Amino acid sequence: MRLLSLRLVNFRNYKELVFKPKERKNILVGKNASGKTNILESIYFLSTLRSFRTAKSKELTAWGENGFFISAKLQSSGMEHNVKIFISGKKKVVSLNETNIKKGTQLLGVFYTVIFSPSDMDLIKGDPGLRRKFLDVLLSKTSNYYLSALQDYKKVIKQKNKVLKSQYIDKKLIETYNQQICIYGAKIIFLRSLAVNRLNVTAGKIFKNFSRANDNLMVQYFSLYRPMPELNECDIKNMVAAELEKSFFKEIKQKICLVGPHRDDFKFNINGRDAKSFSSEGQKRSIVFCLRLSEYEIVKKKFKEPPVILMDDVFGELDKDKKNMLKLVIDPQSQVFVTCTETDTLAGLANGAERFFVKDGTIQK
Amino acid sequence: MNQYPVSIQKVIKWFSRLPGIGYKSAERMVTKLLEMSSDEIDSFAGAMIEMKQNIRNCSECNAISDHKICAVCADSSRDRTIVCLVEQAKDMFAIERGGGYNGLYFVLGGKLSPLNGIGPDQLAFSMLETFIDNNNFTEIILATGSDVEGEATSVYTQRLLKSKDIKISRIAYGVPVGSSIDFADEMTLLRAIEGRRQY
């Protein structure tokens, strides 16, 4: 997958910009607040129709304008694709090869980006919602089946929460939603546990290379408030059902859904110890790097071609050895976009890269 | 900017409240209405008033009807051992158009969605229980929609009727008849594979 050209109109600080990146490594150099991350954000937007920084389209629109426009020429599965996105307030028009598309899932497999950003540290330090989101994005971008189960599940949870908050509680209605939670919930938990296993295989391998001290990284999946072993969907369904039955009155008392994959979490262990409390900042940084790299590997395997890598200002924080290590683990086949303030901080990664200078809403070679 | 006279604007506004009608279509309808004679307009308006006055819900099955009991419930040639549960009366007419089903119907009047203020009390569940108690049905077919709310409505009905001596079945989902496999979207195909039956 490659970005061949990008055009932005009224996107963040860009009134009008045309950017033709190189096939492999692209380094965007510029001072703070010059708009480097905005470029990455627009490329990410092409793959997800979302920003990794904000949920509000207004923040993406240039100051004083009504809407923004992104168009791009992409290359994937040996074909060129034209994607155009126009967003103004609540209105969103997306077209793929001159045909309007209604659902983001129609873009599936056309373009995928893996983003490395400083806020990734929250995956370890932050609340469980962020970790679930990481898995959800990875799974829904690679499987429509997961996405539709997740959407259905979220609807059921909303309905059930509404019932739990009502004055008179219809127990049969709660049982009805519980039955649906078992079906959709088991699908989600099952697919998440498979994904965590895949992450374990790839991330573990990458982490061994990355940390000089042969450390073991394990991702542990917690569902229904316990470590979730690898089970088949039917067993998981029975487990969810048992748990729902056990918490039936507790849920009514607390007026909220307590059981199901919307309460899932996962933990990172280094040599058997919880990374959140026991590892150093440097180790945490290595873990999130490995997670993103394994996301890259999983996506590459799924679509049989390398996704685009976006690295937002992540190099200031790594030591020289790690930077050189990164040069080795990053797939030379992939197209990479890196932002930094000065090129000399990139060490070995800058070899063979094209530099672009970002200044006041323009890009120059 | 010059606009239509108020009386015309009013009618356009009413028409655009109907499903599938936007401003432009409403405008075209109104232009056509203006060409009609007063007599025609009178009978058009009269028909709407008459429809609203005469149509009520069947006291047995809750379907819409112009009599106390609807045509299906009144038809003595129908199979009175089987009943089909639908969300709306229009679902019933859709099944009727197929012509292959000869049992009775029951119209629930919607689907469960507490988020939109529709709980069991807003739907005709108690009427359904009476309907089943007053008849000798051996089977009820749950023909609510395949979306999350329709599915929940079916599950709820099944739990409600569990204690009654009646077979409860759910309609099948899958590939539309007469269409090739590759035309169906992937979720429909998955449903079709999950709901496969022995040959």
Side-chain angles (χ1 to χ4, degrees):
Chain A
M1 291 170 191
R2 290 206 195 303
L3 176 69
L4 302 175
S5 71
L6 174 74
R7 184 170 165 239
L8 302 178
V9 179
N10 294 333
F11 184 87
R12 295 262 190 196
N13 69 330
Y14 296 98
K15 284 272 163 206
E16 162 89 53
L17 174 89
V18 176
F19 175 39
K20 287 208 163 67
K22 288 286 157 199
E23 212 175 306
R24 300 271 184 257
K25 282 187 249 173
N26 296 276
I27 298 175
L28 302 168
V29 191
K31 293 203 177 96
N32 286 330
S34 60
K36 304 180 297 286
T37 305
N38 298 349
I39 303 274
L40 297 194
E41 191 178 28
S42 69
I43 301 172
Y44 183 84
F45 204 93
L46 281 166
S47 68
T48 53
L49 304 182
R50 280 201 179 89
S51 159
F52 57 89
R53 293 150 99 192
T54 175
K56 294 181 191 128
S57 66
K58 207 170 171 209
E59 287 178 25
L60 301 174
T61 312
W63 188 250
E65 298 293 337
N66 292 325
F68 65 87
F69 177 76
I70 305 175
S71 79
K73 198 171 265 179
L74 311 167
Q75 190 185 51
S76 61
S77 11
M79 272 170 62
E80 281 190 14
H81 300 281
N82 287 312
V83 176
K84 293 193 177 84
I85 302 168
F86 172 73
I87 291 183
S88 170
K90 288 222 158 95
K91 199 177 156 201
K92 179 150 126 187
V93 184
V94 182
S95 75
L96 172 63
N97 299 327
E98 279 67 52
T99 312
N100 281 4
I101 57 170
K102 286 202 183 96
K103 283 193 271 179
T105 52
Q106 286 170 280
L107 281 175
L108 195 92
V110 175
F111 194 54
Y112 195 109
T113 52
V114 175
I115 174 107
F116 294 71
S117 108
S119 62
D120 282 351
M121 285 295 270
D122 295 339
L123 276 175
I124 299 179
K125 295 177 178 174
D127 63 60
L130 294 165
R131 288 184 280 281
R132 284 194 296 271
K133 202 173 154 200
F134 169 78
L135 265 195
D136 284 346
V137 171
L138 173 60
L139 279 162
S140 19
K141 288 287 287 173
T142 49
S143 149
N144 274 341
Y145 181 67
Y146 182 82
L147 182 63
S148 98
L150 187 68
Q151 285 168 340
D152 287 348
Y153 179 79
K154 283 184 176 166
K155 273 187 217 159
V156 175
I157 291 293
K158 269 192 197 160
Q159 298 279 18
K160 186 178 156 189
N161 272 333
K162 181 79 189 179
V163 180
L164 286 168
K165 282 182 176 61
S166 61
Q167 278 209 317
Y168 166 74
I169 288 174
D170 185 331
K171 293 211 171 92
K172 272 204 188 67
L173 200 52
I174 300 278
E175 283 167 8
T176 299
Y177 289 124
N178 282 355
Q179 194 170 328
Q180 287 190 302
I181 287 173
C182 289
I183 296 167
Y184 302 125
K187 275 184 192 158
I188 293 168
I189 295 174
F190 176 64
L191 292 170
R192 280 183 183 169
S193 72
L194 288 186
V196 169
N197 278 347
R198 257 178 295 160
L199 274 180
N200 259 329
V201 176
T202 45
K205 218 186 283 167
I206 299 167
F207 191 76
K208 269 218 173 93
N209 281 328
F210 211 73
S211 75
R212 279 145 290 181
N214 209 20
D215 286 330
N216 266 317
L217 171 68
M218 272 288 287
V219 189
Q220 201 178 17
Y221 177 41
F222 282 77
S223 191
L224 308 170
Y225 307 103
R226 70 191 94 171
M228 182 53 79
E230 206 185 329
L231 291 171
N232 62 41
E233 206 179 310
C234 190
D235 288 340
I236 296 174
K237 206 165 141 186
N238 293 335
M239 260 173 97
V240 179
E243 206 58 40
L244 279 166
E245 207 182 312
K246 216 167 76 187
S247 307
F248 192 84
F249 291 103
K250 201 172 158 195
E251 287 190 321
I252 291 175
K253 205 173 150 199
Q254 300 193 12
K255 295 182 182 297
I256 194 143
C257 297
L258 297 168
V259 178
H262 64 291
R263 292 285 178 120
D264 281 359
D265 196 2
F266 54 105
K267 275 188 188 149
F268 306 98
N269 292 334
I270 294 182
N271 300 330
R273 300 179 86 182
D274 184 5
K276 193 173 183 173
S277 357
F278 293 103
S279 66
S280 70
E281 290 298 292
Q283 274 178 317
K284 283 180 186 137
R285 213 160 275 137
S286 304
I287 294 174
V288 292
F289 256 93
C290 293
L291 268 187
R292 290 298 182 187
L293 285 170
S294 32
E295 178 186 354
Y296 173 88
E297 292 297 333
I298 289 169
V299 173
K300 184 182 170 187
K301 213 169 163 187
K302 166 85 188 177
F303 295 118
K304 300 190 176 60
E305 61 183 327
V308 171
I309 296 178
L310 307 173
M311 295 185 147
D312 183 22
D313 213 10
V314 282
F315 291 94
E317 296 163 334
L318 290 179
D319 60 30
K320 204 176 168 211
D321 287 350
K322 289 251 164 63
K323 280 177 204 161
N324 284 326
M325 199 56 230
L326 200 62
K327 190 184 93 187
L328 296 175
V329 283
I330 284 186
D331 188 348
Q333 288 188 325
S334 63
Q335 190 182 29
V336 187
F337 294 86
V338 179
T339 68
C340 65
T341 44
E342 298 150 40
T343 33
D344 56 344
T345 57
L346 289 176
L349 201 78
N351 294 343
E354 185 82 37
R355 282 178 188 76
F356 295 92
F357 295 93
V358 181
K359 202 184 163 192
D360 308 325
T362 60
I363 293 187
Q364 279 150 9
K365 265 195 199 173
Chain B
M1 195 173 66
N2 214 340
Q3 282 191 327
Y4 282 112
V6 179
S7 60
I8 294 184
Q9 279 185 43
K10 232 167 147 180
V11 184
I12 293 182
K13 271 200 187 124
W14 272 111
F15 275 128
S16 30
R17 279 173 66 168
L18 299 175
I21 309 290
Y23 182 87
K24 287 258 173 197
S25 315
E27 196 182 13
R28 279 177 61 205
M29 289 168 153
V30 169
T31 322
K32 184 70 197 166
L33 281 180
L34 285 171
E35 289 169 12
M36 288 183 182
S37 68
S38 294
D39 284 351
E40 282 177 305
I41 297 280
D42 271 347
S43 55
F44 184 17
M48 278 198 274
I49 294 167
E50 198 188 314
M51 171 185 87
K52 189 61 199 169
Q53 279 171 350
N54 290 342
I55 292 298
R56 54 194 130 170
N57 290 359
C58 170
S59 61
E60 298 272 312
C61 75
N62 202 30
I64 50 174
S65 159
D66 44 9
H67 292 94
K68 191 168 177 290
I69 290 174
C70 75
V72 175
C73 289
D75 185 348
S76 59
S77 71
R78 311 252 345 176
D79 180 357
R80 285 174 185 273
T81 60
I82 187 161
V83 57
C84 177
L85 180 85
V86 291
E87 289 172 15
Q88 308 276 356
K90 73 177 173 41
D91 302 336
M92 163 180 148
F93 293 116
I95 299 175
E96 275 301 284
R97 274 197 299 275
Y101 175 74
N102 194 37
L104 300 186
Y105 292 92
F106 187 86
V107 179
L108 211 43
K111 53 188 176 185
L112 285 172
S113 178
L115 278 176
N116 300 319
I118 303 171
D121 295 342
Q122 279 68 45
L123 301 175
F125 281 113
S126 58
M127 198 173 159
L128 170 68
E129 284 187 275
T130 324
F131 190 50
I132 285 171
D133 292 340
N134 292 345
N135 286 278
N136 291 318
F137 295 124
T138 52
E139 180 174 358
I140 178 167
I141 305 169
L142 307 179
T144 57
S146 63
D147 54 346
V148 175
E149 290 87 8
E151 208 62 74
T153 311
S154 271
V155 173
Y156 184 84
T157 313
Q158 178 249 328
R159 290 189 169 265
L160 191 73
L161 304 178
K162 213 163 47 181
S163 56
K164 296 192 197 298
D165 183 26
I166 186 169
K167 183 178 158 196
I168 303 170
S169 55
R170 180 88 171 104
I171 53 165
Y173 288 106
V175 185
V177 175
S179 129
S180 68
I181 297 275
D182 58 343
F183 270 126
D185 73 286
E186 57 258 64
M187 288 325 292
T188 308
L189 285 173
L190 266 174
R191 275 302 239 336
I193 287 179
E194 277 171 5
R196 69 188 180 274
R197 57 180 180 177
Q198 206 175 349
Y199 219 42

